Amino acid sequence: MLVRGNIDHARSGANRSSFFAVGGMAAFFLVLMIFEQAGMPDRYGYVLTGLFLILIFAVAGIGARTAAFDEWQICGRSTPASVLAMSLAVALVPGFTIVGLPGNFFAKTGGSVAILLGPLCGMAIAAFLVVPFLRKSAAVTAPQFFRLRYAGNTATFIAMALFAGSSFLMLWGQLQIIASLNAAVFGLASGVVIPLAALLIAISVLPGGLNGLIRTNSLAFVLLATAFLAPLLWLSLITTGIPLPQIAHGPGALAEIVELEKQLAGVGLPQLSLAMTPALPIAASGAAIIGLTLFFALSFACFPSVLGQTGATRQVKSTRPAIAVALLFAAVVITAIPAAASFAKLAIYNGIFGLTVGEIPVSADWILQFGTKLSPLGAGEPLVTLCGRAVASLEQAIAACGGNPDYALGPADLTMRGEVIALALPEIARLPSAFTMAAGAGLVAAALASANSAAFCLSSMLVTRAPVSGMNRLFMARLCIIVGIAFAAWLAQYHPGNSLDLIFWSLAIGAGALAPAFLLGIWSDRMHAIAAIGGMAASTAVLATAAALAIFGPDLIAVSGDEYPILIPGLQELPAAMHAGLWAAFAGTITAALLAWLLPRKANAELLERLRVPDAPPPG
């Protein structure tokens, strides 16, 4: 009874925390809006927003502290499904998606829907084919499943290395995105942001482990959803009277945009879509769209950030409802992304036509505000340029457009990066600056949540150790995370790479090596240790070869004249990491299947039978 009472208390406390988080965030930004109307300079609002973000992550992480390894690793199997669902939902909306995808929809590029739906499809695959069976195996961590399934260290070690490698690359990439977002939103230098972000990640994960991760990530989802949806709800309400942006932007913003673009075509003027440089991959052909969807679906089906959290619920049968609610939560946010693009495009059209350069500070000051801020996902490109130049003042704008303050602006005079829609939508639509502050905090929170999940997954490197006392296991788990965070922060600070490339290579490991290994291990009766080792080795070899070619040899960038045969026909416009992930999935699956057929071995039939019996309980 005492244990049940503690579980119920934990559930009620977590639910109360989520309820108060929603109210607290709404109240904070409402107060900011009131202060703004009273004349408070925006710079103070940004400072307060940054402090608020740090405070909620630190309080949630420290409040979850524990000295029990079971509580630290799997939350004592007591996390409410609703709270876990919010934490999983933010894993489906990683920072790069919510930052870059509105710009892709703005530019009307092919493949935008694939990037939007691919992670949802992957989570659905995980819900039906992976997660419940992983739970029923009684594995505490995902790599431990391979020890139970194959009763050996070799397959476990390879899975552990793949799991840790994917998590580390994700952590490294997300730290760089956090630094870039903070520079664009709060104006902080990376030399300050990266150590601070690393410290905040450590505070979020180290004291409470999975409990702290789920608490902070659920709060991050609440902040992201509130900050992203609030301006869209406002705009949809005042535009159509319907407070549902997913529906309202069609008959409202889109209808007006279509009419405006017909008029532009009639007089020979370009559309605003041509002024947008998308931040995320473009898929022009049907084959490329299918490949892009498949890549994201396989990546998220066995994504370390997802598998690392699914052991937190009390019962195995709770995992599918938690994932179903997570899909619903994530869908509410990401299905509003096209609405953000539509409302932004309509606001820019209405603001640009008839506007002279001299009127920019009054009617379109967002051009000056974001003119010198750099792209979080690009190679240091400015978010906005006017007449071909980045401008931060009226004088610079006049000089850029030929020195005439009465020069009438048109769509051809504006160039934008895709990230500007997510960052500047409230300013573009001339909403109070508190909405912009909230949007920036939500985007940073989403990136921090992805980094938290990746950091926690580094503790899975403990699975090959012999059983030791709980305190020693807890010390070693925390040490793995500290070393991983410190090394990733050092690389992000002194050896930064392209953040999107790092993230795509992290996802490539999930799609190319982890997904086939988990799916075949659960659903193939013929799979044995040799087949599993051969499949993962083949996938790893393909990934390593493609990475080496991308770094040291031809760049694998499409249409650059030096493509390698590794590029998949019909998918040339996709990044190299996606080609590598799809080839690795094919090679790993074929190799494992051939070895299982040519070298028949006795599989762990007892474990497989227990996994597939609908109501069979997991072992003690």
Side-chain angles (χ1 to χ4, degrees), residues 79-89 214 218 309-313 318-319 322 326:
T79 300
S82 58
V83 177
L84 177 60
M86 287 188 287
S87 182
L88 291 174
I214 291 175
S218 61
Q309 300 182 49
T310 54
T313 54
S318 302
T319 55

Side-chain angles (χ1 to χ4, degrees), residues 116-493:
L116 188 148
L117 295 180
L120 298 182
C121 294
M123 184 67 90
I125 293 171
F128 285 98
L129 301 181
V130 179
V131 171
F133 310 99
L134 182 65
R135 279 292 309 272
K136 290 173 73 172
S137 72
V140 175
T141 63
Q144 193 178 24
F145 169 79
F146 288 84
R147 167 169 285 181
L148 297 172
R149 175 70 171 82
Y150 302 113
N153 285 334
T154 305
T156 308
F157 177 80
I158 296 175
M160 176 203 72
L162 292 170
F163 206 74
S166 176
S167 301
F168 181 79
L169 289 175
M170 179 62 68
L171 177 59
W172 182 5
Q174 292 295 344
L175 277 171
Q176 293 189 183
I177 290 179
I178 291 168
S180 301
L181 282 173
N182 275 277
V185 177
F186 302 109
L188 298 175
S190 61
V192 175
V193 173
I194 290 177
L196 180 61
L199 178 61
L200 194 57
I201 294 166
I203 292 174
S204 300
V205 176
L206 290 177
L210 185 58
N211 194 14
L213 168 67
I214 291 175
R215 286 193 184 189
T216 54
N217 282 15
S218 61
L219 290 175
F221 177 76
V222 171
L223 178 55
L224 171 65
T226 304
F228 185 71
L229 293 176
L232 296 179
L233 291 172
W234 187 318
L235 290 170
S236 64
L237 187 61
I238 63 177
T239 302
T240 64
I242 303 173
L244 292 173
Q246 295 89 339
I247 299 174
H249 82 103
L254 276 180
E256 291 190 47
I257 290 170
V258 170
E259 185 60 33
L260 283 170
E261 291 184 343
K262 285 182 180 178
Q263 297 175 16
L264 287 175
V267 295
L269 292 177
Q271 299 180 4
L272 268 176
S273 301
L274 302 177
M276 178 63 69
T277 302
L280 298 182
I282 299 171
S285 64
I289 292 174
I290 294 173
L292 194 60
T293 306
L294 181 62
F295 175 81
F296 280 110
L298 288 175
S299 300
F300 282 85
C302 297
F303 197 39
S305 298
V306 172
L307 297 183
Q309 300 182 49
T310 54
T313 54
R314 184 184 178 196
Q315 296 177 316
V316 174
K317 64 182 181 181
S318 302
T319 55
R320 280 199 180 110
I323 294 176
V325 177
L327 286 168
L328 177 62
F329 286 162
V332 169
V333 175
I334 63 177
T335 53
I337 290 176
S342 297
F343 286 126
K345 183 178 289 188
L346 180 61
I348 295 174
Y349 269 134
N350 290 335
I352 287 292
F353 283 121
L355 184 71
T356 65
V357 177
E359 295 171 332
I360 287 177
V362 176
S363 302
D365 57 337
W366 63 274
I367 296 175
L368 306 179
Q369 182 179 345
F370 290 89
T372 56
K373 293 182 178 180
L374 301 181
S375 162
L377 303 180
E381 300 177 20
L383 285 171
V384 181
T385 60
L386 184 69
C387 299
R389 291 171 57 182
V391 297
S393 66
L394 177 59
E395 292 75 16
Q396 292 178 356
I398 294 173
C401 295
N404 180 13
D406 296 323
Y407 175 77
L409 295 174
D413 297 312
L414 199 63
T415 305
M416 298 170 286
R417 283 279 308 182
E419 303 94 317
V420 76
I421 304 302
L423 289 167
L425 174 60
E427 296 290 338
I428 294 171
R430 305 194 62 76
L431 298 179
S433 295
F435 283 106
T436 307
M437 299 170 194
L443 296 175
V444 173
L448 278 170
S450 298
N452 287 346
S453 300
F456 175 77
C457 289
L458 294 174
S459 64
S460 64
M461 288 188 289
L462 289 174
V463 296
T464 57
R465 291 182 54 83
V468 292
S469 67
M471 287 302 296
N472 286 339
R473 292 170 72 192
L474 185 57
F475 171 78
M476 292 302 298
R478 286 171 169 164
L479 181 61
C480 290
I481 293 174
I482 291 172
V483 172
I485 292 174
F487 188 39
W490 179 77
L491 288 173
Q493 183 76 57

Side-chain angles (χ1 to χ4, degrees), residues 158 162 512-514 516-517 520 527-543 583-596:
I158 296 175
L162 292 170
L514 293 176
L520 290 173
M527 280 293 292
H528 48 74
I530 296 176
I533 292 168
M536 288 189 289
S539 298
T540 304
V542 170
L543 290 168
W583 275 125
F586 177 77
T589 302
I590 294 299
T591 303
L594 286 174
L595 289 174

